[in-house]
């Protein structure tokens, strides 16, 4: 039996009961993004839940764009959302749906409500409407237009549609209860006049329905059984039900709300992410530091890691924040299993082995995965000149530093023991080269005399290594609960243009995630290269934020 997408939670319990009681014979969910930005890791929780439940119950899940705010929506966003869902590994039922598919039907249901005396055209100004809605402590005040004759509202609504009135001059409102304790029920607006070009219907409409009216009807028209959404819609549920109870549509889906995924060190809402893009704080929506699906993809996260992480965030009615380190751990754990090990030097320091014959070279056998023999081995060229990591040398090292300092012997991974004889400096006193000697008896990394060395470092052949650019990413924000752009981590991107990688990797690197031994996991970013191959660091080998995360 294959494992379930969604582990048991209060929503699956509702579904189980509905199937057992015969209320439903099948399950049909939907994922309803607004095409006003890219999907982020929070959306992944909703995607895993909606598509995952449909899969688990052999049901269906629709993808429906909630496109009722023409100002903010674009075709590019809609396309990006579709490719993100596919990349995450989910398939929607049948064709992509749009709320705009139902504009004609929605209009007719609005007329039905007017005819039943349950909706009216209100000519108060937007300020008056806001003012008269009251607040948590004050009840609302009825509009002077509330009891106008049905025929008058029908006429005005038709003329609103025909474009006879200015934007904002009137709205269609449901007639429910201005005294209701639930502000959403105080004669909510159903339609407003807005002259805006729509991504699908062009200039056909100058009135657009509001979310609360559109969403429930779209769900019902599609035969959705369980309409799963986040907790902020809980107070809208009475309106969801009111609309469906008062129009002639048989289907009445059940709206169920769950806790959204919040993540430490992350700002999630599309509005805030858009601000980062607009202000040039990041390199687009798919910047590898963004919590967007496309950013995580470009960075090199595997789709299953993101899914597993989102699925681990429990589905309840209680808001909660997940530490970002859980996502990074999920990414690391998966990469550890699938990433071949190679050697790349990020900040190169030249090493010359003075007792290694000039003009000579040899091959060294290296394992591609320390725990998994099936990855096999490869041959690495070794010679007189190498590059090592600059940080693996220290001029004034104490006894606990097991890497290079003058006179200290260190193991080169898979190769030989090397002793650092002296450092060569430039005029400013910077170390630019190490002169070393090697012990030819230690090939493979051990000494026949049983002599032990404590440090093992990575290296590449200076002659055969390829030049690459490396981009090291850190968290975009440096506060566990960022409030705004003031909490941006100014050191979240470091670009190193002269990094080195062992030969025969670059040409095979597209789509492969590698571990650069000791330095982390890396992924080729072919979409953002100029002249050199670019490798993004997906994640370091260890968590460097553990302390701050605990304060969260
Ligand atoms: P944002 O505030 O980030 O723009 P949204 O809710 O406005 O999010 P939509 O495109 O309307 O974005 O969302 C589509 C679906 O994804 C909705 O059902 C919404 O409830 C869900 N969703 C959005 N954010 C989260 C989140 N952080 N965790 C879980 N589900 C989410
Ligand atoms: Mg929204």
């Amino acid at each position: 039996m294959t494992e379930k997408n969604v582990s048991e939670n209060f929503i699956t319990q509702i579904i189980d009961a509905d199937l057992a009681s015969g209320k439903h014979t099948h399950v049909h969910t939907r994922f309803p993004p607004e095409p006003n930005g890219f999907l982020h890791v929070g959306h992944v929780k909703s995607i895993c839940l909606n598509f995952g439940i449909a899969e688990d119950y052999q049901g269906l899940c629709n993808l429906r764009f909630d496109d009722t705010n023409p100002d903010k929506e674009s075709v590019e966003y809609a396309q990006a959302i579709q490719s993100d869902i596919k990349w995450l590994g989910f398939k929607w039922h049948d064709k992509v749906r749009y709320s705009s598919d139902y504009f004609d039907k929605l209009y007719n249901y609005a007329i039905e409500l007017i005819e039943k005396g349950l909706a009216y055209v209100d000519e108060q100004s937007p300020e008056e409407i806001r003012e008269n809605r009251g607040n948590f402590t004050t009840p609302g005040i009825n509009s002077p237009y509330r009891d106008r004759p049905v025929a008058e509202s029908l006429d005005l609504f038709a003329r609103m549609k025909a474009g006879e009135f200015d934007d904002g001059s009137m709205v269609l409102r449901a007639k429910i209860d201005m005294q209701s304790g639930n502000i959403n029920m105080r004669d909510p607006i159903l339609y407003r006049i807005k002259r805006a070009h729509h991504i699908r219907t062009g200039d056909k409409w100058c009135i657009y329905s509001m979310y609360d009216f559109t969403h429930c009807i779209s769900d019902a028209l599609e035969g959705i059984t369980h309409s799963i959404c986040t907790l902020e819609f809980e107070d809208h549920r009475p309106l969801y039900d009111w609309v469906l109870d008062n129009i002639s549509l048989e289907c009445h889906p059940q709206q169920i709300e769950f806790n959204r995924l919040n993540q430490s060190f992350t700002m999630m809402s599309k509005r805030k992410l858009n601000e980062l893009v607009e202000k040039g704080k990041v390199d687009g929506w798919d910047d590898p530091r963004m919590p967007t699906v496309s950013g995580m993809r470009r960075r090199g996260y595997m789709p299953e890691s993101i899914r597993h992480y989102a699925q681990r965030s429990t589905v309840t009615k209680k808001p909660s924040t997940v530490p970002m380190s859980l996502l990074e751990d999920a990414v690391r754990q998966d990469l550890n299993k699938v990433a071949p090990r190679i050697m790349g030097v990020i900040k190169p320091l030249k090493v010359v082995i003075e007792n290694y014959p000039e003009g000579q070279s040899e091959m060294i056998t290296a394992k591609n995965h320390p725990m998994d023999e099936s990855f096999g081995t490869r041959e690495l060229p070794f010679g007189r000149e190498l590059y090592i990591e600059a940080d693996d040398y220290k001029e004034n090292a104490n006894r606990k530093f097991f890497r290079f300092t003058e006179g200290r012997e260190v193991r080169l991974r898979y190769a030989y023991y090397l002793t650092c004889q002296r450092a060569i400096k430039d005029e400013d006193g910077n170390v630019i080269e190490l002169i070393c000697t090697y012990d030819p008896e230690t090939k493979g990394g051990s000494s026949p005399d049983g002599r032990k060395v404590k440090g093992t470092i990575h290296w590449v052949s200076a002659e055969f290594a390829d030049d690459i650019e490396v981009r090291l990413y850190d968290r975009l924000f440096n506060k566990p609960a960022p409030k705004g752009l003031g909490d941006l981590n100014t050191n979240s991107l470091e670009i190193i243009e002269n990094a080195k990688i062992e030969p025969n990797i670059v040409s095979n690197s597209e789509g492969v995630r590698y571990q650069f031994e000791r330095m982390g996991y890396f992924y080729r970013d072919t979409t953002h290269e100029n002249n050199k191959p670019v490798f993004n660091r997906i994640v370091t080998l260890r968590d460097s934020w553990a302390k701050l995360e605990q304060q969260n």
Side-chain angles (χ1 to χ4, degrees):
M1 181 151 162
T2 51
E3 212 176 303
K4 289 209 162 159
N5 288 296
V6 181
S7 46
E8 184 176 344
N9 61 56
F10 81 98
I11 300 178
T12 63
Q13 285 165 0
I14 292 173
I15 293 172
D16 289 338
D18 288 348
L19 293 171
S21 71
K23 179 180 174 191
H24 293 298
T25 53
H26 70 290
V27 174
H28 200 153
T29 57
R30 87 288 169 264
F31 176 65
E34 185 181 353
N36 63 346
F38 282 54
L39 295 179
H40 51 60
V41 65
H43 291 115
V44 179
K45 180 172 180 179
S46 177
I47 289 172
C48 287
L49 200 53
N50 280 297
F51 287 93
I53 283 179
E55 235 170 62
D56 290 349
Y57 288 88
Q58 280 124 46
L60 305 170
C61 180
N62 291 359
L63 169 62
R64 183 201 318 137
F65 286 106
D66 165 29
D67 56 347
T68 51
N69 276 318
D71 288 346
K72 296 185 187 143
E73 295 159 6
S74 81
V75 174
E76 292 70 44
Y77 289 143
Q79 278 164 351
I81 290 172
Q82 291 175 56
S83 63
D84 285 348
I85 295 172
K86 283 191 215 154
W87 179 75
L88 284 168
F90 292 109
K91 276 203 198 82
W92 51 88
H93 167 56
D94 201 18
K95 61 178 197 302
V96 176
R97 325 277 165 138
Y98 296 83
S99 298
S100 54
D101 295 340
Y102 313 126
F103 280 178
D104 287 306
K105 288 184 174 156
L106 289 160
Y107 179 75
N108 289 330
Y109 287 119
I111 291 178
E112 183 182 347
L113 287 180
I114 302 174
E115 284 171 340
K116 287 178 172 164
L118 294 173
Y120 61 97
V121 171
D122 191 354
E123 294 177 58
Q124 293 182 101
S125 68
E127 296 73 39
E128 286 168 323
I129 291 178
R130 201 176 313 122
E131 185 76 9
N132 292 336
R133 189 179 288 136
N135 53 38
F136 283 114
T137 48
T138 327
I141 299 167
N142 285 358
S143 163
Y145 301 96
R146 195 172 199 264
D147 293 316
R148 73 191 327 165
V150 165
E152 210 173 284
S153 282
L154 283 174
D155 174 59
L156 288 170
F157 188 50
R159 290 164 60 196
M160 277 169 64
K161 176 178 181 244
E164 287 188 30
F165 308 116
D166 289 342
D167 288 16
S169 61
M170 52 185 79
V171 292
L172 182 74
R173 297 180 76 173
K175 194 190 282 188
I176 308 180
D177 178 6
M178 290 303 291
Q179 265 76 60
S180 173
N182 181 343
I183 293 177
N184 295 303
M185 299 298 271
R186 293 185 188 168
D187 291 10
I189 295 173
L190 305 180
Y191 270 87
R192 73 243 195 249
I193 305 173
K194 187 165 203 79
R195 284 172 179 78
H197 190 80
H198 188 279
I199 55 172
R200 298 190 66 249
T201 58
D203 298 314
K204 179 177 174 201
W205 294 85
C206 64
I207 55 171
Y208 290 97
S209 54
M210 303 299 288
Y211 175 87
D212 283 322
F213 183 68
T214 314
H215 197 77
C216 54
I217 296 178
S218 305
D219 280 349
L221 288 169
E222 291 176 10
I224 301 304
T225 54
H226 301 86
S227 177
I228 302 169
C229 60
T230 34
L231 279 178
E232 71 272 19
F233 292 103
E234 197 162 26
D235 290 343
H236 295 242
R237 190 183 343 129
L239 180 52
Y240 186 104
D241 290 332
W242 183 92
V243 171
L244 293 181
D245 285 342
N246 286 294
I247 60 174
S248 49
L249 235 176
E250 279 304 300
C251 179
H252 191 139
Q254 180 181 359
Q255 176 180 309
I256 309 171
E257 311 84 15
F258 71 97
N259 56 341
R260 59 171 51 229
L261 185 153
N262 300 308
Q263 185 174 277
S264 69
F265 293 94
T266 308
M267 289 207 308
M268 204 84 93
S269 100
K270 281 180 283 187
R271 194 174 51 76
K272 290 180 180 159
L273 298 179
N274 192 35
E275 195 184 346
L276 292 170
V277 175
E278 291 293 311
K279 296 203 167 140
K281 301 291 180 192
V282 292
D283 173 28
W285 282 93
D286 68 346
D287 184 297
R289 293 164 291 177
M290 289 280 266
T292 52
V293 174
S294 53
M296 295 188 285
R297 172 170 59 218
R298 187 173 147 198
R299 176 130 169 200
Y301 285 15
M302 296 200 291
E304 46 269 51
S305 315
I306 306 171
R307 276 198 325 256
H308 294 153
Y309 166 73
Q311 286 159 352
R312 241 176 274 150
S313 150
T314 49
V315 176
T316 66
K317 289 273 188 192
K318 267 208 300 267
S320 69
T321 299
V322 186
M324 190 170 187
S325 54
L326 281 193
L327 174 60
E328 293 160 343
D329 280 343
V331 168
R332 260 186 213 107
Q333 270 174 32
D334 290 338
L335 288 171
N336 184 33
K337 285 179 229 138
V338 303
R341 274 47 171 179
I342 62 159
M343 292 200 273
V345 174
I346 296 191
K347 295 179 183 165
L349 174 62
K350 182 89 160 278
V351 165
V352 176
I353 306 170
E354 60 182 356
N355 62 338
Y356 194 92
E358 270 182 72
Q360 188 177 310
S361 71
E362 65 189 290
M363 295 312 262
I364 300 278
T365 303
K367 282 187 188 171
N368 295 335
H369 198 295
M371 284 97 73
D372 189 341
E373 299 261 320
S374 72
F375 279 70
T377 59
R378 67 193 186 287
E379 298 295 304
L380 292 174
F382 183 87
R384 184 177 157 92
E385 297 195 355
L386 311 172
Y387 289 109
I388 64 160
E389 210 63 61
D391 286 349
D392 284 334
Y393 170 81
K394 233 188 213 176
E395 189 169 2
N396 300 307
N398 65 24
R399 296 173 58 101
K400 288 199 182 124
F401 187 79
F402 298 126
R403 292 165 279 156
F404 276 135
T405 189
E406 260 169 49
R408 194 153 299 165
E409 189 170 45
V410 170
R411 177 188 295 107
L412 292 183
R413 181 79 158 149
Y414 298 119
Y416 291 99
Y417 287 8
L418 221 64
T419 304
C420 177
Q421 302 299 343
R422 62 191 182 278
I424 296 179
K425 294 182 179 173
D426 65 11
E427 288 165 2
D428 302 326
N430 301 309
V431 174
I432 50 167
E433 195 175 301
L434 299 182
I435 305 296
C436 300
T437 51
Y438 86 122
D439 177 353
E441 301 299 313
T442 57
K443 185 162 183 175
S446 59
S447 167
D449 65 11
R451 184 169 93 248
K452 292 264 185 288
V453 296
K454 283 207 169 140
T456 301
I457 66 172
H458 62 280
W459 54 275
V460 295
S461 146
E463 187 181 351
F464 296 101
D466 286 318
D467 293 318
I468 58 169
E469 177 178 319
V470 155
R471 298 189 186 145
L472 306 178
Y473 300 102
D474 203 343
R475 294 184 178 178
L476 193 51
F477 293 96
N478 54 19
K479 297 266 170 59
K483 299 238 163 14
L485 301 195
D487 295 329
L488 276 171
N489 174 6
T490 49
N491 298 317
S492 60
L493 170 61
E494 188 182 357
I495 297 179
I496 293 141
E497 291 177 356
N498 64 338
K500 304 278 179 185
I501 190 171
E502 65 172 69
N504 302 319
I505 301 298
V506 169
S507 53
N508 299 309
S509 58
E510 241 188 285
V512 188
R513 296 164 173 89
Y514 288 104
Q515 186 192 102
F516 289 15
E517 292 207 25
R518 301 175 63 223
M519 305 313 286
Y521 294 97
F522 289 80
Y523 189 59
R524 177 92 180 267
D525 192 349
T526 47
T527 58
H528 291 72
E529 288 176 355
N530 293 322
N531 25 38
K532 266 185 208 170
V534 168
F535 285 78
N536 288 329
R537 178 151 68 189
I538 309 170
V539 68
T540 53
L541 296 181
R542 258 170 241 96
D543 180 11
S544 54
W545 285 85
K547 262 209 192 108
L548 250 181
E549 197 80 82
Q550 276 159 13
Q551 293 166 13
N552 184 31

